[in-house]
Structures are given as structure tokens and as C-alpha cells.
């Protein structure tokens, strides 16, 4: 009872697994539409310099015409140039300096032995002159406002009253000393020197630049600058049909669009917008499900692979939503080309292109200049798919990134020339987001590995690693069963050449061929290719037991493969390379030597299943042909031809290829390749082929 409860979730999963895909699709639609922006979309697309092909556009409401960015920047620059730096006058500074000056004057006078009767007269005169200097003000000039030695205007703040002054009308410490020297009349040079030194030590700026207040005024001035000029009244013609969109009209259209979107955020019915999004996103994902059902039933029936596709779609559209909410300067920063790269490597070209188109078509509803966006991303996505047709080297990903960048550049220049008609007016800084996007697309490589581990998908990159003969499992096979290893290599060469010619996954076939007999590691001496003596261990065994040992290498191979975490797509080759055929040698020997005994044919039959794809079907044929060719005593063109024909026809008669999508034309091509390669292996003259 406990065991039933423990496995009940597995029973439920198997019972309802066909419905889970629809639940995943509905959840995907709900998640995407929940986060997408909810304001109604502006209905018109327009570009500067193009002809307005829509009907006459009459303004349904009054709106202000926005200034262009260069106009706003110019206005801000002009406004800032008219703002004077603010300086503050500090009247309290002199009171402290005054006391210090008078005290030091008395001390200096007494220590210099000057006439006492002249002290008060000089003290009062110098004090009065110093007081006048501080009353006028001593400014601390700021290098930021100076242009060489030229004076500049300031706004002087004194008792909350601001007046404009030129710096030449105020003292600096140096000019104040010069003024004192000219204005002060001393009775003798010794008194003059003493007073000047004392005054020099007590000159301090009392007009100081107030940077904080100046910045506040500048900021307020910039913020108060109007971003509009002029109005378009309700009922006024914005643009007539077939008119060219010039600079002025373009600004009106931009202003109309901005006002429309601002108003619809307030008055638009968000529920209806959400329903529209549900319809569009749901319809697109329904088309994806139909596509998978018609052309990729393997993915349609595999909930893990389907969940990967839905995850990629959701992630990219949520990234778009995030970018819109953050108000990124350009949505081209988002690496949309990462979608076709990942799907192409994990699945195939057709699905990669379809999924990429689906993502950018949905995204096109939420980006500005949607046609231009779709054009950029479609062409770049196609280049990404074509440039990464077979990922057999790591540098191919870098080359693909270079090709994608080139595609973006060609489109950028072409659209720029179409719009501006000049290289000089093209805004090259707008190409930076494309460069960033291409660099981010290189994240596809680690993501592919992550998806393989999470969703149990085998990519070409993983297959390349598996086909490396330095792999530990293949090294064990080469050491423990060298004959089987050599057989596997020859089968791999035959199968790979055949599948490459008729069309299929040659990397998958090679990996499957190298591992298809991995189960023979268990008892290698029971297989003829590993026997290097004249005696066979089967001579001492009953035929039934010998057959079971031979059959067991399939079951054992599956166990070893799963223990070493080989992909299920490779395990399929181990399961199917003998189909459900009989071990005919021991079966016929049993019938011949024990005619009186009842025979259970299933004892001599492999468990199956029969091959169910081009790749597994080709491997079965290559395995049988290569193994049989080793029994040829005098291999020549005729014997090889007869052997290939006999074995492939036998597989057909035994219905072993019923579930493969191999055509008769494919089989003829396979036969020709097998014959050609076997004759090359056995150094047979090829003249025979000319008469076949």
C-alpha cells in the first residue's frame, strides 16, 4: 500500500502527461501577458523622409508640439550661459579682522620705536582705508568662470538682495593691496613699510562663490525650459495622404504619438488591452503547438523539451518588458539573436527560425518603429542560424557573432541611407546597442550547457565531446574489447557517411555507433571479434545460454550507458541496433542439433525495439553489414555487393525498418555507400561500380 502511494505521482503524471503541455502553454501566455505593458498601442508607423501612405490624419485633440532633442539641448545650453555665478558677501568677516588688525598695529608700532605722537593718526587712517576696502568687497576669483585674465560678471548676494557686478569692480587681495598703497599717505618710508606688511597679512576675501546655490539655480532653470513650441489644435490637419514626412511634420507626429500614449495610460481600459494581449500571444503560441504537432512530434510529445521552448520565449519577452520599464535608451541592447542560436544548436534550423520569428513578432507590438525592428532582428536571426549550421568548433560561435554584427551593420547603413540619404548625417553612436547585443549573444554557449543538463537535451557540442575516443568509456572499450572497439569505429564511418548523404544528424549517428556495443565490455571473450585463439567459450555452453549471453550485451549496454549518464538519444542506438531479430546462428544450431526439443523462439530474440529514426535505422544496417563483411574469406566486388544486398533485404523482410522514415531511394543510396566503402577497406578494385 505504501509503495502504491509512493509511486502515485508517477502514475498521475503518465495519466495526465498529454495534458500538461497545454497547462504549460496557458501558464506561459498568462505570465507573458501579465508583465507586458498595458497601454493601448499607437496605430501608425512613420519615418522621416518617407511618404505618408495612410489616410489624411486629423488631430482628434489639441496637443503641444515637442521640440527635438537638439533643440532642447540648444535651449538648455543658451539658458545656462545666461546664468551668472552666484557669490555671497560676508559682512561679518571684517569685524574679526578689524580687532586683530588694531591690536597688532599697536604692538608693531611700539616694537619699531616710531614716534608715539604719530601712532594714533596712522592707526586711524589705515583702519579707515582697510574698512573701506572690506566694505566694497574682496572677491575670491574662481578659475571655472575665468577666461584667461578677463573679468566676468557675477550675481552678488548681500542681505538676500542680488545685484550684478563685474569682477573688475571688486577688489581681489592683490588689487586691494595696490589700492591701499596708492591711497595711504605715510609720514615716512619706515611707517609705510610697517603698515603695508600689516595690511597684507589682514586681507581676506569676503565675497565667496556659492556653488550649491548656483547649481540649484541652474537646475531649476533647466527644468523650467519648455520642451514644446507651438500647438496643433483639435480638428487640424497633421498630414495629408501621400505627403512626404518632413522635419516639421515628423515632430508633429512624434508629439501626437507621445500625447496619445500619455492619454491612453489614463483613459485606456487596461482590461481590454490585456484581453488583446491574451488573444495575440495565445494565438501565436497555439500556432507554435500546431507547428510542433505537424512537423516535430518528438518535441510535442516531450514535455521537457516543450518546456524549454516555452521558457526561452517567456525569458526573452520578459527581458523586453524589463527593458521597457527601465526605459533603456535602446531596445536593441537585448540579444534577441540568442534565441535562434540556442534553438538551432539544441534542435534544428526550421524550429530555430520559427521560434525566432514568433518572439520578434510579439515583441514588435511593444517597440518603436516595429517594422524596422522586425527587419533588423529577422535578418540577423537568419544569419545567426546559417552561420552556426554545424557547431563543431568553439570558434564558430565567435564567427557567428561576427556575421551577426555584419548583418546588423549592413541593415543599419542601408536603413540610414534610405532615411537620411547621406553618410554624414548618420548617427553612428546608435550602432553601439547592436554591438552590445552581439556580445551578449555569446552567452548562448554556457546557456546551451545549462539547458542540456536541466532538460536532458543533447546538442552537437555534447555529441562532439562524446565522440572523442579519449573518453573514459571508449578507452575502457578499446582496452577490454579491442575487436569490438575497431568494429565500432568502422560502423561509425559507414553510418556517418550514409546519413550524411541521405540527410540526418551525422554527429548523433557517429556517437551512437561508437557506443552501440558498449555492453560487450562485460564479457568480451564471448564475441568473435575479441577472440584471438581458435577456441570459443561458446563451445562448452548450451545454445540457449550462448544466445542469452549475446543478447545480454544490449541490456548491459543500456545499464552502462545510463550509469555513465550518456544521453537517451545515444542509448536509443544501443536499444535498437539489433531490433527484435533472432540470434540466428545459435537458433539454427539448436534446431539442427535438437530437433526433438520444443524451442521457445523468444529465448533467441533480441528485446527490441526496432529502429524508429533514420539515424537508428542506418546504424542497424551499418552494424550488420560491417560484422558480416568480416566473415568474407575472399572479399571482392561481387561478394561485397551480394552481402550488402542480402543483409539490407533481410532487414526489410524481417520488418526491422518499418518504423524508420527511410525511403527506397535512401536504401539504394545507403547500399552504394556501403559497397564503395567496404571495397576501399578491403582494397578491392572499384571497376565493378561502373557496371552496377
Amino acid at each position: 500500500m505504501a509503495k502504491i502511494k509512493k509511486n502515485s505521482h508517477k502514475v498521475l503524471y503518465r495519466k495526465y502527461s498529454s495534458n500538461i503541455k497545454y497547462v504549460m502553454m496557458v501558464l506561459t501566455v498568462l505570465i507573458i501577458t501579465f508583465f507586458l505593458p498595458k497601454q493601448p498601442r499607437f496605430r501608425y508607423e512613420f519615418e522621416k523622409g518617407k511618404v505618408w501612405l495612410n489616410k489624411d490624419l486629423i488631430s482628434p485633440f489639441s496637443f503641444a508640439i515637442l521640440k527635438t532633442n537638439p533643440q532642447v539641448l540648444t535651449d538648455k545650453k543658451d539658458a545656462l550661459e545666461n546664468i551668472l555665478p552666484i557669490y555671497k558677501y560676508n559682512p561679518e568677516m571684517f569685524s574679526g579682522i578689524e580687532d586683530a588688525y588694531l591690536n597688532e598695529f599697536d604692538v608693531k608700532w611700539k616694537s619699531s620705536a616710531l614716534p608715539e605722537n604719530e601712532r594714533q593718526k596712522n592707526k586711524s587712517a589705515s583702519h579707515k582705508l582697510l574698512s573701506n576696502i572690506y566694505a566694497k568687497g574682496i572677491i575670491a576669483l574662481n578659475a571655472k568662470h575665468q577666461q584667461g585674465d578677463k573679468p566676468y560678471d557675477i550675481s552678488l548676494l548681500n542681505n538676500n538682495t542680488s545685484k550684478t557686478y563685474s569682477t573688475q569692480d571688486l577688489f581681489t587681495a592683490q588689487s586691494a593691496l595696490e589700492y591701499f598703497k596708492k591711497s595711504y599717505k605715510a609720514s615716512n618710508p619706515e611707517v609705510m613699510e610697517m603698515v603695508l606688511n600689516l595690511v597684507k597679512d589682514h586681507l581676506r576675501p569676503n565675497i565667496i562663490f556659492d556653488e550649491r546655490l548656483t547649481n540649484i539655480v541652474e537646475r531649476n532653470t533647466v527644468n523650467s525650459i519648455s520642451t514644446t513650441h507651438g500647438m496643433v489644435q483639435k480638428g487640424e490637419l497633421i498630414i495629408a495622404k501621400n505627403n512626404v514626412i518632413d522635419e516639421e511634420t515628423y515632430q508633429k507626429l512624434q508629439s501626437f504619438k507621445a500625447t496619445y500614449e500619455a492619454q491612453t495610460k489614463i483613459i485606456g481600459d487596461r482590461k481590454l488591452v490585456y484581453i488583446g494581449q491574451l488573444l495575440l500571444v495565445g494565438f501565436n503560441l497555439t500556432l507554435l503547438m500546431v507547428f510542433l504537432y505537424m512537423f516535430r512530434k518528438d518535441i510535442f510529445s516531450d514535455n521537457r523539451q516543450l518546456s524549454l521552448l516555452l521558457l526561452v520565449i517567456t525569458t526573452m519577452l520578459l527581458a523586453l518588458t524589463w527593458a521597457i520599464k527601465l526605459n533603456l535608451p535602446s531596445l536593441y541592447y537585448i540579444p534577441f539573436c540568442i534565441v535562434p542560436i540556442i534553438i538551432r544548436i539544441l534542435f534544428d534550423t526550421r524550429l530555430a527560425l520559427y521560434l525566432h520569428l514568433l518572439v520578434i513578432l510579439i515583441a514588435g507590438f511593444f517597440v518603436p518603429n516595429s517594422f524596422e525592428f522586425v527587419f533588423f532582428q529577422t535578418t540577423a536571426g537568419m544569419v545567426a542560424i546559417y552561420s552556426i549550421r554545424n557547431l563543431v568548433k568553439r570558434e564558430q560561435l565567435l564567427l557567428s557573432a561576427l556575421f551577426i554584427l555584419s548583418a546588423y551593420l549592413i541593415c543599419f547603413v542601408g536603413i540610414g541611407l534610405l532615411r537620411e540619404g547621406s553618410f554624414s548625417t548618420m548617427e553612428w553612436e546608435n550602432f553601439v546597442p547592436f554591438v552590445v547585443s552581439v556580445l551578449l549573444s555569446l552567452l548562448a554557449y554556457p546557456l546551451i550547457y545549462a539547458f542540456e543538463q536541466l532538460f536532458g537535451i543533447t546538442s552537437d557540442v555534447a555529441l562532439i565531446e562524446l565522440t572523442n575516443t579519449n573518453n573514459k568509456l571508449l578507452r575502457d572499450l578499446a582496452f577490454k574489447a579491442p575487436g569490438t572497439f575497431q568494429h565500432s569505429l568502422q560502423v561509425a564511418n559507414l553510418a556517418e557517411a550514409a546519413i550524411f548523404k541521405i540527410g540526418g544528424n551525422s554527429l548523433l549517428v557517429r556517437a551512437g555507433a561508437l557506443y552501440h556495443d558498449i555492453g560487450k565490455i562485460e564479457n568480451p571473450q564471448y564475441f568473435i571479434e575479441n577472440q584471438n585463439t581458435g577456441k570459443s567459450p561458446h563451445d562448452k555452453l548450451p545454445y540457449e545460454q550462448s544466445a542469452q549471453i549475446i543478447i545480454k550485451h544490449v541490456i548491459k549496454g543500456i545499464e552502462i550507458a545510463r550509469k555513465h549518464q550518456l544521453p537517451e538519444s545515444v542509448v536509443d542506438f544501443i536499444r535498437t541496433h539489433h531490433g527484435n531479430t533472432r540470434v540466428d546462428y545459435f537458433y539454427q544450431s539448436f534446431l539442427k542439433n535438437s530437433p526433438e526439443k520444443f524451442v521457445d523462439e523468444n529465448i533467441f530474440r533480441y528485446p527490441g525495439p526496432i529502429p524508429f529514426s533514420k539515424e537508428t535505422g542506418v546504424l542497424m544496417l551499418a552494424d550488420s553489414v560491417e560484422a558480416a563483411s568480416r566473415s568474407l574469406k575472399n572479399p571482392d566486388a561481387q561478394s561485397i555487393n551480394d552481402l550488402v544486398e542480402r543483409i539490407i533485404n533481410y532487414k526489410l523482410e524481417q520488418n526491422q525498418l518499418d518504423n524508420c522514415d527511410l525511403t527506397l531511394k535512401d536504401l539504394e543510396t545507403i547500399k552504394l555507400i556501403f559497397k564503395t566503402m567496404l571495397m576501399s577497406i578491403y582494397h578491392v578494385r572499384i571497376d565493378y561500380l561502373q557496371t552496377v
Side-chain angles (χ1 to χ4, degrees):
M1 186 70 177
K3 189 174 181 180
I4 293 174
K5 288 183 179 179
K6 185 178 179 181
N7 295 324
S8 60
H9 66 285
K10 295 182 180 179
V11 174
L12 288 172
Y13 177 80
R14 285 194 295 268
K15 183 177 180 181
Y16 298 106
S17 61
S18 59
N19 297 323
I20 289 177
K21 59 177 63 64
Y22 303 109
V23 175
M24 290 191 300
M25 190 192 83
V26 171
L27 285 175
T28 301
V29 172
L30 292 175
I31 291 171
I32 292 172
T33 53
F34 179 79
F35 288 101
L36 284 174
K38 293 296 181 291
Q39 71 270 17
R41 178 174 168 78
F42 189 66
R43 70 181 67 182
Y44 301 109
E45 291 287 339
F46 53 90
E47 290 185 34
K48 194 191 307 179
K50 295 288 186 67
V51 175
W52 180 261
L53 298 177
N54 300 293
K55 63 181 181 180
D56 292 357
L57 182 59
I58 307 297
S59 177
F61 47 76
S62 299
F63 62 91
I65 303 172
L66 297 172
K67 295 178 182 176
T68 62
N69 287 334
Q71 287 173 336
V72 173
L73 290 175
T74 301
D75 290 349
K76 288 180 179 179
K77 184 179 178 182
D78 293 341
L80 290 174
E81 287 177 353
N82 293 326
I83 296 175
L84 297 178
I86 299 174
Y87 284 73
K88 276 189 176 180
Y89 177 81
N90 185 359
E92 298 176 358
M93 179 174 285
F94 180 64
S95 60
I97 291 175
E98 180 182 27
D99 293 338
Y101 175 78
L102 294 174
N103 291 333
E104 287 186 38
F105 188 93
D106 290 336
V107 173
K108 293 279 186 182
W109 190 275
K110 289 178 181 179
S111 62
S112 62
L114 293 170
E116 184 63 25
N117 59 348
E118 294 184 11
R119 178 170 66 87
Q120 190 59 38
K121 173 186 172 184
N122 284 283
K123 181 179 179 181
S124 298
S126 63
H127 171 256
K128 183 178 180 181
L129 193 55
L130 186 63
S131 177
N132 291 337
I133 289 173
Y134 270 97
K136 184 176 181 180
I138 304 172
I139 188 170
L141 295 175
N142 192 299
K144 185 169 87 170
H145 306 131
Q146 285 181 298
Q147 295 180 352
D149 294 329
K150 294 180 180 180
Y152 58 91
D153 292 338
I154 67 168
S155 179
L156 184 59
L157 192 62
N158 184 12
N159 292 326
N160 294 325
T161 302
S162 177
K163 290 184 179 181
T164 301
Y165 286 87
S166 173
T167 54
Q168 66 183 355
D169 298 330
L170 302 169
F171 288 118
T172 63
Q174 184 179 355
S175 65
L177 186 62
E178 292 294 329
Y179 172 78
F180 190 93
K181 189 186 294 185
K182 291 178 183 178
S183 302
Y184 184 67
K185 305 298 180 184
S187 56
N188 60 64
E190 187 178 353
V191 172
M192 186 69 173
E193 183 180 359
M194 187 207 78
V195 173
L196 281 177
N197 288 334
L198 191 59
V199 169
K200 184 178 180 180
D201 292 340
H202 290 82
L203 288 176
R204 302 282 186 276
N206 65 340
I207 298 177
I208 308 297
F209 174 56
D210 192 331
E211 186 173 10
R212 185 187 68 83
L213 188 56
T214 303
N215 288 338
I216 290 173
V217 172
E218 288 178 346
R219 188 162 55 249
N220 291 339
T221 302
V222 167
N223 291 338
S224 65
I225 291 174
S226 174
T227 57
T228 64
H229 66 95
M231 290 284 294
V232 172
Q233 300 298 328
K234 181 178 180 181
E236 183 179 336
L237 177 67
I238 299 176
I239 186 172
K241 185 177 181 179
N242 296 326
N243 280 9
V244 176
I245 304 173
D246 56 18
E247 180 70 37
E248 182 182 355
T249 307
Y250 181 76
Q251 274 311 113
K252 287 183 179 180
L253 289 170
Q254 287 281 47
S255 305
F256 177 51
K257 179 180 178 182
T259 307
Y260 173 85
E261 291 179 345
Q263 287 187 357
T264 52
K265 283 182 181 178
I266 302 171
I267 62 175
D269 192 333
R270 291 171 62 88
K271 292 180 181 178
L272 293 179
V273 174
Y274 184 59
I275 291 173
Q277 290 177 347
L278 282 173
L279 289 173
L280 291 174
V281 177
F283 181 62
N284 273 275
L285 287 183
T286 301
L287 289 177
L288 171 64
M289 300 294 280
V290 172
F291 171 85
L292 294 175
Y293 179 78
M294 293 179 65
F295 303 108
R296 288 302 304 267
K297 287 190 177 180
D298 55 325
I299 299 175
F300 182 81
S301 59
D302 189 331
N303 289 333
R304 286 188 306 173
Q305 295 187 39
L306 182 60
S307 64
L308 169 58
L309 299 183
L310 296 176
L311 175 64
V312 170
I313 295 170
T314 305
T315 303
M316 290 309 301
L317 293 176
L318 290 183
L320 173 68
T321 303
W322 170 77
I324 292 172
K325 288 183 178 179
L326 286 183
N327 200 22
L328 283 185
S330 174
L331 295 177
Y332 290 110
Y333 282 111
I334 304 173
F336 283 97
C337 280
I338 206 170
V339 173
I341 292 174
I342 291 174
I343 303 303
R344 169 62 194 88
I345 293 173
L346 293 179
F347 297 101
D348 61 61
T349 299
R350 184 168 55 176
L351 181 59
L353 182 58
Y354 187 92
L355 208 68
H356 181 57
L357 288 174
L358 185 148
V359 170
I360 63 173
L361 285 174
I362 295 175
F365 283 100
F366 305 96
V367 299
N369 297 322
S370 57
F371 174 79
E372 180 182 304
F373 169 83
V374 171
F375 181 79
F376 267 116
Q377 301 301 348
T378 301
T379 52
M382 292 169 71
V383 170
I385 293 169
Y386 301 155
S387 62
I388 207 159
R389 183 167 171 244
N390 289 307
L391 186 64
V392 295
K393 295 181 181 178
R394 284 176 292 183
E395 57 262 30
Q396 279 187 256
L397 208 57
L398 295 174
L399 287 174
S400 179
L402 184 61
F403 285 133
I404 296 169
L405 187 62
S406 301
Y408 277 137
L409 181 60
I410 292 170
C411 294
F412 181 83
V413 172
I415 290 174
L417 291 176
L418 194 66
R419 183 184 298 155
E420 305 291 343
S422 171
F423 279 106
S424 59
T425 56
M426 291 180 65
E427 299 175 342
W428 292 101
E429 65 274 10
N430 291 338
F431 189 68
V432 173
F434 294 102
V435 177
V436 175
S437 172
V438 171
L439 292 176
L440 289 175
S441 68
L442 295 176
L443 291 172
Y445 198 82
L447 285 174
I448 289 165
Y449 177 77
F451 288 149
E452 284 180 329
Q453 301 303 311
L454 289 172
F455 296 95
I457 297 171
T458 308
S459 71
D460 288 353
V461 180
L463 292 174
I464 291 169
E465 293 174 354
L466 288 173
T467 54
N468 184 350
T469 52
N470 286 319
N471 183 292
K472 183 181 182 302
L473 194 52
L474 292 180
R475 284 206 311 271
D476 288 346
L477 180 65
F479 179 75
K480 295 178 181 178
T484 299
F485 179 70
Q486 292 302 320
H487 161 70
S488 298
L489 287 176
Q490 295 288 13
V491 171
N493 292 335
L494 288 171
E496 186 177 22
I499 204 69
F500 183 82
K501 189 69 176 177
I502 66 173
N505 192 333
S506 55
L507 268 176
L508 179 60
V509 163
R510 184 165 191 82
L514 290 175
Y515 291 93
H516 79 283
D517 272 343
I518 202 71
K520 292 182 180 179
I521 289 179
E522 182 80 2
N523 292 303
Q525 71 277 10
Y526 283 91
F527 300 90
I528 191 168
E529 66 267 23
N530 300 311
Q531 296 169 4
N532 51 18
T533 63
K535 295 183 179 180
S536 169
H538 289 289
D539 295 341
K540 299 179 181 180
L541 298 175
Y543 298 122
E544 304 97 309
Q545 188 175 348
S546 292
Q548 284 300 303
I549 291 173
I550 298 298
I551 291 169
K552 191 178 178 183
H553 88 273
V554 172
I555 300 166
K556 194 64 184 177
I558 295 171
E559 292 176 4
I560 294 172
R562 287 177 174 160
K563 179 182 177 182
H564 287 81
Q565 297 182 336
L566 293 186
E568 282 299 313
S569 56
V570 175
V571 175
D572 287 339
F573 288 89
I574 302 173
R575 296 166 55 219
T576 61
H577 75 279
H578 284 296
N580 55 16
T581 56
R582 289 193 307 257
V583 185
D584 267 340
Y585 176 80
F586 293 112
Y587 177 69
Q588 297 299 335
S589 298
F590 180 89
L591 292 179
K592 181 179 178 181
N593 293 288
S594 304
E596 74 287 354
K597 291 184 179 180
F598 171 78
V599 57
D600 183 1
E601 188 178 311
N602 290 327
I603 296 175
F604 297 90
R605 192 174 289 279
Y606 286 99
I610 62 175
F612 47 78
S613 66
K614 272 187 179 182
E615 288 80 5
T616 52
V618 167
L619 176 71
M620 168 185 272
L621 299 177
D623 178 46
S624 299
V625 166
E626 201 285 331
S629 70
R630 292 171 178 265
S631 65
L632 294 174
K633 295 181 179 179
N634 296 306
D636 56 21
Q638 186 61 49
S639 61
I640 289 174
N641 178 70
D642 293 343
L643 179 140
V644 171
E645 293 285 347
R646 183 176 69 254
I647 287 179
I648 292 180
N649 289 336
Y650 177 75
K651 297 297 182 185
L652 283 170
E653 291 169 4
Q654 293 292 313
N655 302 319
Q656 296 300 301
L657 303 178
D658 284 2
N659 291 345
C660 300
D661 51 355
L662 291 171
T663 64
L664 291 176
K665 182 180 179 181
D666 290 337
L667 291 176
E668 291 302 316
T669 304
I670 292 167
K671 289 178 184 178
L672 183 60
I673 291 171
F674 285 176
K675 293 171 187 177
T676 304
M677 293 187 68
L678 287 174
M679 282 190 275
S680 297
I681 292 169
Y682 293 109
H683 307 290
V684 177
R685 289 175 60 86
I686 312 298
D687 297 345
Y688 167 76
L689 285 180
Q690 299 175 1
T691 63
V692 174

